[in-house]
Amino acid sequence: MTPSKLCIIRVLGWSCVFFAIELGTVDTIADDSVSQERTSALENRIQIHPQLMSGAAPVGEKAFAELAELGVKVVVSVDGQRPEIELARKHGLRYIHIPIGYDGVHDDACKAAAALTKQIKDPMYVHCHHGKHRGPAMAAVIAQSAGWLDRKQAIELLKRAGTGSQYAGLWRDVDGFQPQSISAELPKLVEVAEISTLASHMVDTSLQYEVMLDSMKTNDWKVSDVRLLQEALRESHRVCNEEMRPWMHDSVRLVHAMESQVERKDFQELRESMARLKQACNQCHERYRN
């Protein structure tokens, strides 16, 4: 790799690898940086600009300590879950919460991105849950708003992050980004944004579903985990709209049946139930989330 393609930049006392893009291609990070990424507590972390990174949600002391060590001062969450503001403050970090869906980066979020670039001059870390879809999309909008990436480079960022092609709205809004007008009224940046009750319950459902996926890998199933997933789905069913209600109801019944499957240790039936649950979730997501 030539020096023209990859520059090591020291900014504000922190060493970082600049996310260099040339002629529409994303260069590979140097071998020593790859090794560092493998031991990182921050999954799917990408250095986009000396003042901007994206990745998965920081979890626990180690992740927030790593952010502080990297020189990050502001953590931007686009996830529906309440940010860990107390843990962030403990490590000298400020949280800004701009929740978005998988359906795209809406206009209010684009205005918030513009507010970020105008008001925040410190290094930022943008995250969703996994760090592959919503987070990189928001980071791409922020980078375009700041003039750090052009449209072609922003699309390359999504490709590198592994943003799913099924989330057409995210790709659309990054590709179709338009800077805010000078007269645009920009929103106030807040630590914890108000989110809909359904969105909050769906976050809980998603997190518990991942616990079940881990159980499936090891056949270490627990009735308590099944009940937590069932409860999250029940709460979602309670507040969802009429069209979603039959799908939610079917999912609740399906997960309820999994309790006895766990007790019988019927691993094959559990795998089939998880496959049916995934199919039911995808059916709903195609209409309301993607």
mmCIF file of all heavy atoms in Angstrom, residues 184-214:
data_model
loop_
_atom_site.group_PDB
_atom_site.id
_atom_site.type_symbol
_atom_site.label_atom_id
_atom_site.label_comp_id
_atom_site.label_asym_id
_atom_site.label_seq_id
_atom_site.Cartn_x
_atom_site.Cartn_y
_atom_site.Cartn_z
ATOM 1 N N ALA A 184 -31.954 26.817 7.475
ATOM 2 C CA ALA A 184 -32.642 25.685 8.113
ATOM 3 C C ALA A 184 -32.552 25.784 9.634
ATOM 4 O O ALA A 184 -31.494 26.096 10.189
ATOM 5 C CB ALA A 184 -32.039 24.372 7.639
ATOM 6 N N GLU A 185 -33.661 25.513 10.295
ATOM 7 C CA GLU A 185 -33.683 25.509 11.759
ATOM 8 C C GLU A 185 -33.207 24.144 12.242
ATOM 9 O O GLU A 185 -33.839 23.121 11.967
ATOM 10 C CB GLU A 185 -35.095 25.795 12.268
ATOM 11 C CG GLU A 185 -35.178 25.913 13.778
ATOM 12 C CD GLU A 185 -36.562 26.290 14.263
ATOM 13 O OE1 GLU A 185 -37.398 26.671 13.419
ATOM 14 O OE2 GLU A 185 -36.801 26.201 15.483
ATOM 15 N N LEU A 186 -32.103 24.130 12.949
ATOM 16 C CA LEU A 186 -31.506 22.873 13.385
ATOM 17 C C LEU A 186 -31.996 22.501 14.780
ATOM 18 O O LEU A 186 -32.223 23.369 15.618
ATOM 19 C CB LEU A 186 -29.980 22.987 13.364
ATOM 20 C CG LEU A 186 -29.366 23.367 12.011
ATOM 21 C CD1 LEU A 186 -27.853 23.409 12.107
ATOM 22 C CD2 LEU A 186 -29.812 22.399 10.918
ATOM 23 N N PRO A 187 -32.147 21.203 15.044
ATOM 24 C CA PRO A 187 -32.697 20.767 16.332
ATOM 25 C C PRO A 187 -31.690 20.865 17.468
ATOM 26 O O PRO A 187 -30.475 20.928 17.247
ATOM 27 C CB PRO A 187 -33.061 19.305 16.064
ATOM 28 C CG PRO A 187 -32.066 18.869 15.029
ATOM 29 C CD PRO A 187 -31.854 20.067 14.152
ATOM 30 N N LYS A 188 -32.207 20.859 18.676
ATOM 31 C CA LYS A 188 -31.360 20.802 19.861
ATOM 32 C C LYS A 188 -30.836 19.381 20.022
ATOM 33 O O LYS A 188 -31.573 18.406 19.856
ATOM 34 C CB LYS A 188 -32.163 21.209 21.100
ATOM 35 C CG LYS A 188 -31.366 21.177 22.391
ATOM 36 C CD LYS A 188 -32.243 21.562 23.580
ATOM 37 C CE LYS A 188 -31.459 21.502 24.884
ATOM 38 N NZ LYS A 188 -32.320 21.849 26.052
ATOM 39 N N LEU A 189 -29.569 19.249 20.332
ATOM 40 C CA LEU A 189 -28.961 17.936 20.528
ATOM 41 C C LEU A 189 -29.160 17.511 21.979
ATOM 42 O O LEU A 189 -28.841 18.257 22.901
ATOM 43 C CB LEU A 189 -27.469 17.990 20.181
ATOM 44 C CG LEU A 189 -27.158 18.416 18.739
ATOM 45 C CD1 LEU A 189 -25.653 18.566 18.537
ATOM 46 C CD2 LEU A 189 -27.734 17.425 17.732
ATOM 47 N N VAL A 190 -29.694 16.293 22.176
ATOM 48 C CA VAL A 190 -30.042 15.839 23.521
ATOM 49 C C VAL A 190 -29.339 14.527 23.851
ATOM 50 O O VAL A 190 -28.952 13.763 22.965
ATOM 51 C CB VAL A 190 -31.572 15.655 23.668
ATOM 52 C CG1 VAL A 190 -32.283 16.989 23.468
ATOM 53 C CG2 VAL A 190 -32.097 14.621 22.673
ATOM 54 N N GLU A 191 -29.190 14.269 25.150
ATOM 55 C CA GLU A 191 -28.561 13.024 25.609
ATOM 56 C C GLU A 191 -29.474 11.824 25.419
ATOM 57 O O GLU A 191 -29.018 10.735 25.056
ATOM 58 C CB GLU A 191 -28.187 13.137 27.090
ATOM 59 C CG GLU A 191 -26.917 13.893 27.372
ATOM 60 C CD GLU A 191 -26.514 13.771 28.831
ATOM 61 O OE1 GLU A 191 -27.398 13.887 29.701
ATOM 62 O OE2 GLU A 191 -25.315 13.552 29.099
ATOM 63 N N VAL A 192 -30.748 12.005 25.712
ATOM 64 C CA VAL A 192 -31.716 10.916 25.580
ATOM 65 C C VAL A 192 -32.941 11.458 24.853
ATOM 66 O O VAL A 192 -33.624 12.345 25.361
ATOM 67 C CB VAL A 192 -32.136 10.350 26.949
ATOM 68 C CG1 VAL A 192 -33.129 9.203 26.758
ATOM 69 C CG2 VAL A 192 -30.918 9.867 27.735
ATOM 70 N N ALA A 193 -33.196 10.934 23.671
ATOM 71 C CA ALA A 193 -34.338 11.386 22.881
ATOM 72 C C ALA A 193 -35.587 10.602 23.257
ATOM 73 O O ALA A 193 -35.509 9.465 23.744
ATOM 74 C CB ALA A 193 -34.043 11.210 21.394
ATOM 75 N N GLU A 194 -36.726 11.206 23.025
ATOM 76 C CA GLU A 194 -37.984 10.501 23.228
ATOM 77 C C GLU A 194 -38.196 9.542 22.062
ATOM 78 O O GLU A 194 -38.036 9.911 20.905
ATOM 79 C CB GLU A 194 -39.150 11.491 23.290
ATOM 80 C CG GLU A 194 -39.131 12.387 24.514
ATOM 81 C CD GLU A 194 -40.359 13.274 24.592
ATOM 82 O OE1 GLU A 194 -41.295 13.054 23.793
ATOM 83 O OE2 GLU A 194 -40.375 14.181 25.435
ATOM 84 N N ILE A 195 -38.536 8.301 22.381
ATOM 85 C CA ILE A 195 -38.797 7.314 21.336
ATOM 86 C C ILE A 195 -40.151 6.676 21.587
ATOM 87 O O ILE A 195 -40.664 6.692 22.710
ATOM 88 C CB ILE A 195 -37.708 6.221 21.283
ATOM 89 C CG1 ILE A 195 -37.598 5.492 22.628
ATOM 90 C CG2 ILE A 195 -36.373 6.804 20.886
ATOM 91 C CD1 ILE A 195 -36.650 4.321 22.603
ATOM 92 N N SER A 196 -40.730 6.120 20.534
ATOM 93 C CA SER A 196 -42.046 5.511 20.675
ATOM 94 C C SER A 196 -41.957 4.273 21.551
ATOM 95 O O SER A 196 -40.930 3.599 21.623
ATOM 96 C CB SER A 196 -42.599 5.125 19.301
ATOM 97 O OG SER A 196 -41.881 4.028 18.768
ATOM 98 N N THR A 197 -43.039 3.969 22.207
ATOM 99 C CA THR A 197 -43.087 2.792 23.069
ATOM 100 C C THR A 197 -42.827 1.526 22.269
ATOM 101 O O THR A 197 -42.107 0.636 22.706
ATOM 102 C CB THR A 197 -44.460 2.705 23.759
ATOM 103 O OG1 THR A 197 -44.698 3.913 24.473
ATOM 104 C CG2 THR A 197 -44.503 1.544 24.737
ATOM 105 N N LEU A 198 -43.395 1.433 21.063
ATOM 106 C CA LEU A 198 -43.196 0.247 20.234
ATOM 107 C C LEU A 198 -41.724 0.077 19.889
ATOM 108 O O LEU A 198 -41.184 -1.031 19.960
ATOM 109 C CB LEU A 198 -44.030 0.351 18.954
ATOM 110 C CG LEU A 198 -43.852 -0.807 17.963
ATOM 111 C CD1 LEU A 198 -44.220 -2.138 18.602
ATOM 112 C CD2 LEU A 198 -44.682 -0.566 16.705
ATOM 113 N N ALA A 199 -41.062 1.174 19.523
ATOM 114 C CA ALA A 199 -39.638 1.086 19.178
ATOM 115 C C ALA A 199 -38.828 0.550 20.353
ATOM 116 O O ALA A 199 -37.930 -0.276 20.185
ATOM 117 C CB ALA A 199 -39.118 2.454 18.757
ATOM 118 N N SER A 200 -39.148 1.012 21.550
ATOM 119 C CA SER A 200 -38.433 0.559 22.739
ATOM 120 C C SER A 200 -38.629 -0.936 22.958
ATOM 121 O O SER A 200 -37.675 -1.675 23.237
ATOM 122 C CB SER A 200 -38.926 1.340 23.962
ATOM 123 O OG SER A 200 -38.280 0.896 25.131
ATOM 124 N N HIS A 201 -39.870 -1.403 22.821
ATOM 125 C CA HIS A 201 -40.142 -2.831 23.010
ATOM 126 C C HIS A 201 -39.485 -3.675 21.924
ATOM 127 O O HIS A 201 -39.026 -4.796 22.184
ATOM 128 C CB HIS A 201 -41.650 -3.085 23.024
ATOM 129 C CG HIS A 201 -42.348 -2.527 24.226
ATOM 130 N ND1 HIS A 201 -41.820 -2.617 25.497
ATOM 131 C CD2 HIS A 201 -43.532 -1.872 24.356
ATOM 132 C CE1 HIS A 201 -42.646 -2.041 26.360
ATOM 133 N NE2 HIS A 201 -43.680 -1.579 25.687
ATOM 134 N N MET A 202 -39.434 -3.151 20.710
ATOM 135 C CA MET A 202 -38.809 -3.903 19.630
ATOM 136 C C MET A 202 -37.302 -4.013 19.832
ATOM 137 O O MET A 202 -36.688 -5.006 19.440
ATOM 138 C CB MET A 202 -39.124 -3.258 18.280
ATOM 139 C CG MET A 202 -40.579 -3.403 17.848
ATOM 140 S SD MET A 202 -41.187 -5.114 17.907
ATOM 141 C CE MET A 202 -40.127 -5.899 16.701
ATOM 142 N N VAL A 203 -36.699 -3.001 20.447
ATOM 143 C CA VAL A 203 -35.280 -3.097 20.797
ATOM 144 C C VAL A 203 -35.071 -4.236 21.787
ATOM 145 O O VAL A 203 -34.157 -5.063 21.641
ATOM 146 C CB VAL A 203 -34.765 -1.769 21.390
ATOM 147 C CG1 VAL A 203 -33.394 -1.960 22.019
ATOM 148 C CG2 VAL A 203 -34.686 -0.703 20.314
ATOM 149 N N ASP A 204 -35.931 -4.303 22.810
ATOM 150 C CA ASP A 204 -35.837 -5.383 23.795
ATOM 151 C C ASP A 204 -36.026 -6.744 23.128
ATOM 152 O O ASP A 204 -35.332 -7.716 23.453
ATOM 153 C CB ASP A 204 -36.899 -5.195 24.886
ATOM 154 C CG ASP A 204 -36.639 -3.972 25.739
ATOM 155 O OD1 ASP A 204 -35.482 -3.506 25.781
ATOM 156 O OD2 ASP A 204 -37.601 -3.484 26.374
ATOM 157 N N THR A 205 -36.972 -6.808 22.193
ATOM 158 C CA THR A 205 -37.219 -8.058 21.471
ATOM 159 C C THR A 205 -35.988 -8.480 20.685
ATOM 160 O O THR A 205 -35.588 -9.650 20.698
ATOM 161 C CB THR A 205 -38.414 -7.891 20.511
ATOM 162 O OG1 THR A 205 -39.576 -7.533 21.264
ATOM 163 C CG2 THR A 205 -38.688 -9.179 19.748
ATOM 164 N N SER A 206 -35.371 -7.519 20.002
ATOM 165 C CA SER A 206 -34.186 -7.814 19.197
ATOM 166 C C SER A 206 -33.037 -8.327 20.060
ATOM 167 O O SER A 206 -32.363 -9.303 19.711
ATOM 168 C CB SER A 206 -33.753 -6.556 18.439
ATOM 169 O OG SER A 206 -32.576 -6.787 17.706
ATOM 170 N N LEU A 207 -32.822 -7.682 21.199
ATOM 171 C CA LEU A 207 -31.735 -8.094 22.089
ATOM 172 C C LEU A 207 -31.967 -9.503 22.625
ATOM 173 O O LEU A 207 -31.043 -10.321 22.691
ATOM 174 C CB LEU A 207 -31.608 -7.103 23.251
ATOM 175 C CG LEU A 207 -31.123 -5.694 22.891
ATOM 176 C CD1 LEU A 207 -31.211 -4.774 24.106
ATOM 177 C CD2 LEU A 207 -29.694 -5.735 22.363
ATOM 178 N N GLN A 208 -33.211 -9.803 23.005
ATOM 179 C CA GLN A 208 -33.500 -11.123 23.553
ATOM 180 C C GLN A 208 -33.455 -12.196 22.470
ATOM 181 O O GLN A 208 -33.069 -13.338 22.723
ATOM 182 C CB GLN A 208 -34.872 -11.112 24.236
ATOM 183 C CG GLN A 208 -35.083 -12.266 25.201
ATOM 184 C CD GLN A 208 -34.007 -12.327 26.278
ATOM 185 O OE1 GLN A 208 -33.576 -11.308 26.804
ATOM 186 N NE2 GLN A 208 -33.560 -13.534 26.600
ATOM 187 N N TYR A 209 -33.822 -11.821 21.254
ATOM 188 C CA TYR A 209 -33.732 -12.754 20.128
ATOM 189 C C TYR A 209 -32.277 -13.161 19.897
ATOM 190 O O TYR A 209 -31.982 -14.326 19.596
ATOM 191 C CB TYR A 209 -34.313 -12.103 18.876
ATOM 192 C CG TYR A 209 -34.230 -12.946 17.630
ATOM 193 C CD1 TYR A 209 -35.087 -14.022 17.427
ATOM 194 C CD2 TYR A 209 -33.288 -12.675 16.642
ATOM 195 C CE1 TYR A 209 -35.008 -14.800 16.284
ATOM 196 C CE2 TYR A 209 -33.205 -13.443 15.493
ATOM 197 C CZ TYR A 209 -34.071 -14.505 15.323
ATOM 198 O OH TYR A 209 -33.988 -15.272 14.185
ATOM 199 N N GLU A 210 -31.359 -12.220 20.064
ATOM 200 C CA GLU A 210 -29.940 -12.537 19.899
ATOM 201 C C GLU A 210 -29.455 -13.504 20.979
ATOM 202 O O GLU A 210 -28.599 -14.353 20.719
ATOM 203 C CB GLU A 210 -29.115 -11.258 19.924
ATOM 204 C CG GLU A 210 -29.292 -10.418 18.680
ATOM 205 C CD GLU A 210 -28.336 -9.250 18.632
ATOM 206 O OE1 GLU A 210 -27.400 -9.207 19.440
ATOM 207 O OE2 GLU A 210 -28.541 -8.390 17.788
ATOM 208 N N VAL A 211 -29.999 -13.363 22.181
ATOM 209 C CA VAL A 211 -29.672 -14.320 23.247
ATOM 210 C C VAL A 211 -30.089 -15.722 22.820
ATOM 211 O O VAL A 211 -29.360 -16.705 23.020
ATOM 212 C CB VAL A 211 -30.370 -13.925 24.565
ATOM 213 C CG1 VAL A 211 -30.205 -15.026 25.620
ATOM 214 C CG2 VAL A 211 -29.804 -12.613 25.093
ATOM 215 N N MET A 212 -31.257 -15.815 22.203
ATOM 216 C CA MET A 212 -31.752 -17.112 21.741
ATOM 217 C C MET A 212 -30.885 -17.670 20.609
ATOM 218 O O MET A 212 -30.656 -18.882 20.529
ATOM 219 C CB MET A 212 -33.196 -16.964 21.272
ATOM 220 C CG MET A 212 -34.158 -16.488 22.348
ATOM 221 S SD MET A 212 -34.485 -17.745 23.592
ATOM 222 C CE MET A 212 -35.570 -18.820 22.663
ATOM 223 N N LEU A 213 -30.401 -16.793 19.743
ATOM 224 C CA LEU A 213 -29.509 -17.251 18.671
ATOM 225 C C LEU A 213 -28.230 -17.846 19.250
ATOM 226 O O LEU A 213 -27.723 -18.861 18.762
ATOM 227 C CB LEU A 213 -29.172 -16.091 17.735
ATOM 228 C CG LEU A 213 -30.281 -15.605 16.800
ATOM 229 C CD1 LEU A 213 -29.795 -14.405 15.997
ATOM 230 C CD2 LEU A 213 -30.736 -16.718 15.859
ATOM 231 N N ASP A 214 -27.703 -17.205 20.295
ATOM 232 C CA ASP A 214 -26.513 -17.740 20.961
ATOM 233 C C ASP A 214 -26.815 -19.095 21.595
ATOM 234 O O ASP A 214 -25.979 -20.007 21.576
ATOM 235 C CB ASP A 214 -26.020 -16.765 22.030
ATOM 236 C CG ASP A 214 -25.388 -15.522 21.431
ATOM 237 O OD1 ASP A 214 -24.953 -15.579 20.264
ATOM 238 O OD2 ASP A 214 -25.335 -14.491 22.134
#
